[in-house]
Amino acid sequence: MAIGSGLGAQLGIAAESSYGTFVAPSKFIEFTKESLALKKTTAQSAGIAAGRLLALSSRRVLTRKEVQGSIDMEVTNKAMGLLLQALMGTTVTPVQQGATAAYLQTHTLASVAGKSLTIQKGVPLTSGTVTDKTFLGCKVTSGEFACGMGEMLTSTFEFDGKDCDETQTLAAASYSNMSPFHFGQMALKVGGFGAETALDGIRKVSVKFERPQDVERFYANQSALKKEPIENDQVKITGSLETDYTHTTLDDLHTSDGATSFVWEFIGPEIASPHNEVFRVTLPAIKLDEGPPVVDGFGVVKPTFNFVGLFDGTNQPRIEYISTDVTL
């Protein structure tokens, strides 16, 4: 029996071979909170019947089902690959680095067509019995990463899904010995693509990738379920840089509306020389929208610069992840 509270909960994920088709979880992620839930749409008959004062239960119908929600978690040195692949779109095979136990995943921005997950949630009753809720056809609609002074690197993934199946067998969760990336490992670099240099005065960074999709593909012959969402707008990349005003680099970029390449990385412990654990976001072109410095008191000036990620015409945004994971 598990503990009859959130202490006994679990989340397992697997990549689906076809949208909405169950695949038993292959990875179990450590999360801080989640809100995945079945959303249903019903219609109630309003037929007039002499003397009837209340609508009949038998005349309420379920017209559509879907899944919505999010998962909040720390970005760890293992088990992130499936989520990153579902967010970024490229089909990734980890590449061994030399003859070491380090494997590089390069998640380059691409279409997310065909990238869906089965997410199985174990929710404990107070008795300790863990109930199964298996969410099928889960598409990542956005992913946000953030880290500030004294904090862990955290992430929030938002999902749209096809259905909730409560008839599957709950998989036995197993966890690797994972550790989080954190502020003490963080570096931020800007400059020409491939020649970025460290930027002083950075207190907090956040980056959000949005993957707009048509999630309203409900048709006849689908038993109230949707077909796989289709991308229906360009990718949106936004973020912010909380700073101390130690230089004019960002201020000048805001004034000129100039572009700069952006590299935000976390270098963890060594796996095997010369390869360390790494989480790295590269945006080949960002432009600053807001944040020129203002003086609002006696303290250090602390502008926050908001930015958008754009295409430089050659290089795609990417997330690189070096871990000991041999597979996603």
Side-chain angles (χ1 to χ4, degrees):
M1 285 289 189
I3 298 173
S5 68
L7 290 170
Q10 66 181 64
L11 276 179
I13 62 175
E16 295 178 343
S17 54
S18 61
Y19 177 69
T21 301
F22 171 76
V23 178
S26 56
K27 292 283 185 179
F28 294 89
I29 56 177
E30 299 181 18
F31 64 102
T32 53
K33 66 177 181 178
E34 59 80 28
S35 62
L36 293 169
L38 174 68
K39 304 293 183 182
K40 63 183 184 181
T41 301
T42 62
Q44 177 68 57
S45 170
I48 296 173
R52 184 181 296 152
L53 302 179
L54 190 63
L56 280 174
S57 171
S58 61
R59 294 178 70 89
R60 173 166 149 156
V61 292
L62 180 62
T63 59
R64 81 181 217 182
K65 296 189 292 181
E66 59 191 317
V67 172
Q68 294 176 354
S70 63
I71 298 174
D72 290 6
M73 58 189 296
E74 295 166 355
V75 177
T76 56
N77 63 342
K78 298 178 185 177
M80 294 295 300
L82 287 177
L83 292 169
L84 296 176
Q85 177 175 264
L87 171 66
M88 299 299 287
T90 298
T91 299
V92 172
T93 299
V95 177
Q96 187 176 18
Q97 303 299 287
T100 72
Y103 286 79
L104 168 64
Q105 301 174 26
T106 302
H107 298 270
T108 304
L109 188 69
S111 170
V112 292
K115 297 296 187 295
S116 61
L117 302 172
T118 293
I119 303 179
Q120 188 179 64
K121 177 171 72 171
V123 183
L125 298 170
T126 55
S127 64
T129 299
V130 182
T131 64
D132 158 65
K133 292 187 181 297
T134 299
F135 302 102
L136 306 175
C138 293
K139 303 274 291 185
V140 175
T141 55
S142 75
E144 184 171 13
F145 307 92
C147 184
M149 258 194 329
E151 297 175 354
M152 305 294 188
L153 171 60
T154 60
S155 62
T156 298
F157 293 89
E158 296 184 339
F159 297 90
D160 176 88
K162 181 178 182 179
D163 197 11
C164 178
D165 181 357
E166 297 184 358
T167 65
Q168 299 294 337
T169 300
L170 188 68
S174 61
Y175 301 94
S176 302
N177 185 20
M178 291 182 271
S179 60
F181 291 100
H182 59 84
F183 183 78
Q185 302 166 336
M186 187 172 93
L188 183 78
K189 303 174 184 179
V190 298
F193 181 76
E196 301 89 352
T197 58
L199 192 64
D200 189 26
I202 302 299
R203 301 168 59 86
K204 184 173 183 177
V205 180
S206 68
V207 177
K208 184 175 185 178
F209 294 82
E210 297 179 65
R211 306 306 308 259
Q213 296 163 68
D214 185 346
V215 298
E216 296 290 325
R217 299 187 68 214
F218 291 92
Y219 306 143
N221 308 310
Q222 295 296 318
S223 301
L225 301 174
K226 70 176 67 178
K227 299 197 77 172
E228 180 177 359
I230 295 175
E231 291 153 287
N232 63 352
D233 201 351
Q234 293 179 317
V235 177
K236 295 178 175 61
I237 302 174
T238 56
S240 66
L241 302 170
E242 295 184 17
T243 73
D244 279 0
Y245 195 47
T246 61
H247 52 77
T248 64
T249 302
L250 296 176
D251 191 17
D252 292 344
L253 286 168
H254 174 265
T255 301
S256 67
D257 202 39
T260 184
S261 180
F262 165 104
V263 176
W264 181 34
E265 66 183 7
F266 296 78
I267 308 298
E270 183 180 274
I271 297 173
S273 181
H275 304 291
N276 291 57
E277 298 168 351
V278 172
F279 181 87
R280 179 184 297 118
V281 177
T282 300
L283 305 178
I286 67 168
K287 290 201 173 189
L288 305 181
D289 283 335
E290 298 175 6
V294 295
V295 179
D296 60 359
F298 294 111
V300 173
V301 176
K302 299 180 183 297
T304 295
F305 294 89
N306 297 320
F307 65 83
V308 295
L310 300 167
F311 182 41
D312 71 351
T314 303
N315 306 288
Q316 293 286 1
R318 65 179 183 264
I319 297 176
E320 294 166 287
Y321 184 60
I322 298 179
S323 73
T324 57
D325 289 337
V326 177
T327 63
L328 296 195

